[in-house]
Every structure is written in C-alpha cells, then in structure tokens.
Amino acid sequence: RCVMGMTSGLASHESRSLNFNARRLMVSLAGSRRTFRWGREIPVALSLPRSLALQDPWVRLFSSLEKVFLLCFFGFDHVGWLRQVSGGLRRGVRNIQRGLKFLAVASLCGCLASALLLREADSEEGNARERLKMVRNGLMAVQAAHLARWWETSDVFVGLIG
C-alpha cells in the first residue's frame, strides 16, 4: 500500500506500471488472506465469557464490545469473500468495507480496554504488554477506518503504519 501511495501521483511509465503491479499484488494478497480466515472467529467467540467475567465494568464493556465487533467483522468479511468468489472481485467490496468499519470499532474498543488495563497493571511486563496492545489496536483502527473509506488518510501513511 505504501508503494502504491508513493507512485500514485507520478506520471512516468515505470511509476504507473509499478503502481498497477503493487495494486494487483495487494488485491491478490487480500483475497488469499480471506481464503484462510475461516475459523478465526471461533477463538474470539470462546474468549467472550472471559471478557464478561472481568472485574472492572469499563474494561468488561470495552473488552466484550471488542469481541462482538470482531465477530461482526468476520461475518461481513466471510459474506464479502463468498460474494467475490461467486460473482467477481468487484461484487463483495461494499460488504468487505462494511466489515472493516466493524474492525475499526473493535480495534478502538481494544485500544480503550488496554488503556484501562494499563492503569491496573502491577508488573512492568504487564505494562509493556498492555502498552503494545494499545498501540497495535490504535494503529489497526486507523488502518481499518482508511480501508473502509470511513476516515481516509494517505495510502503512504497507512502502508507505513501497517
């Protein structure tokens, strides 16, 4: 995505060719990731009771919402993939973008849950783990919002933070 963003405004034949090939590679990789994403919702669904058992009500809320929105993302992504397989690459795009909105919200909820858990972490290892999860989820929220065309930034920026 970063290469695609860097070459999108250039006019030379080589840069247009590089942009075209980068876009084609990106679409191919996205399709192959969706093919092997089936079943990824099972661990998320199985971890939902643990989220509901957390002590702090705010952490419980954001952690549970993260799981619910992530399950919605997987559902929309599966339907979008099936539509693409049955009707061509352009057919499931809106469904996939709708699912990416759920992923953005799930990542934001995960970021907020990690920020709240960071307050309660008693060890340095716990602090480092929650800090990493908070940053990762925050960056994922920006990426997913851009890909869903919900909050568009720059392809270069999204490619660099990815």
Side-chain angles (χ1 to χ4, degrees):
R1 183 160 295 278
C2 183
V3 170
M4 200 176 71
M6 289 176 157
T7 59
S8 65
L10 303 176
S12 72
H13 176 68
E14 291 82 16
S15 61
R16 281 195 314 258
S17 175
L18 182 60
N19 183 285
F20 175 77
N21 288 330
R23 181 176 299 276
R24 191 168 24 169
L25 176 65
M26 192 178 68
V27 168
S28 296
L29 288 174
S32 66
R33 270 196 318 272
R34 278 188 191 89
T35 302
F36 295 106
R37 196 175 281 160
W38 289 87
R40 297 287 305 264
E41 63 277 355
I42 295 170
V44 175
L46 292 176
S47 70
L48 194 55
R50 275 196 308 269
S51 294
L52 292 171
L54 293 171
Q55 294 298 323
D56 185 349
W58 290 106
V59 175
R60 183 183 328 132
L61 174 73
F62 288 123
S63 182
S64 300
L65 284 175
E66 176 190 15
K67 306 288 189 295
V68 168
F69 281 116
L70 196 55
L71 289 170
C72 291
F73 159 70
F74 281 127
F76 277 105
D77 200 58
H78 291 334
V79 170
W81 178 80
L82 286 170
R83 291 185 73 178
Q84 281 185 333
V85 167
S86 67
L89 288 179
R90 302 299 291 159
R91 185 142 188 248
V93 170
R94 284 198 324 202
N95 234 7
I96 291 169
Q97 285 177 341
R98 189 175 300 120
L100 286 168
K101 289 177 184 175
F102 282 98
L103 179 61
V105 174
S107 298
L108 187 61
C109 289
C111 183
L112 292 172
S114 292
L116 291 170
L117 284 172
L118 194 56
R119 294 183 314 180
E120 302 169 1
D122 53 357
S123 69
E124 192 59 38
E125 181 183 316
N127 277 339
R129 184 179 46 235
E130 289 306 321
R131 224 178 271 123
L132 179 65
K133 281 172 50 177
M134 185 176 69
V135 170
R136 187 193 70 211
N137 281 324
L139 294 175
M140 177 63 79
V142 172
Q143 268 188 315
H146 173 81
L147 294 174
R149 300 195 184 281
W150 204 10
W151 183 52
E152 289 191 62
T153 56
S154 160
D155 280 338
V156 175
F157 176 67
V158 170
L160 287 174
I161 67 172

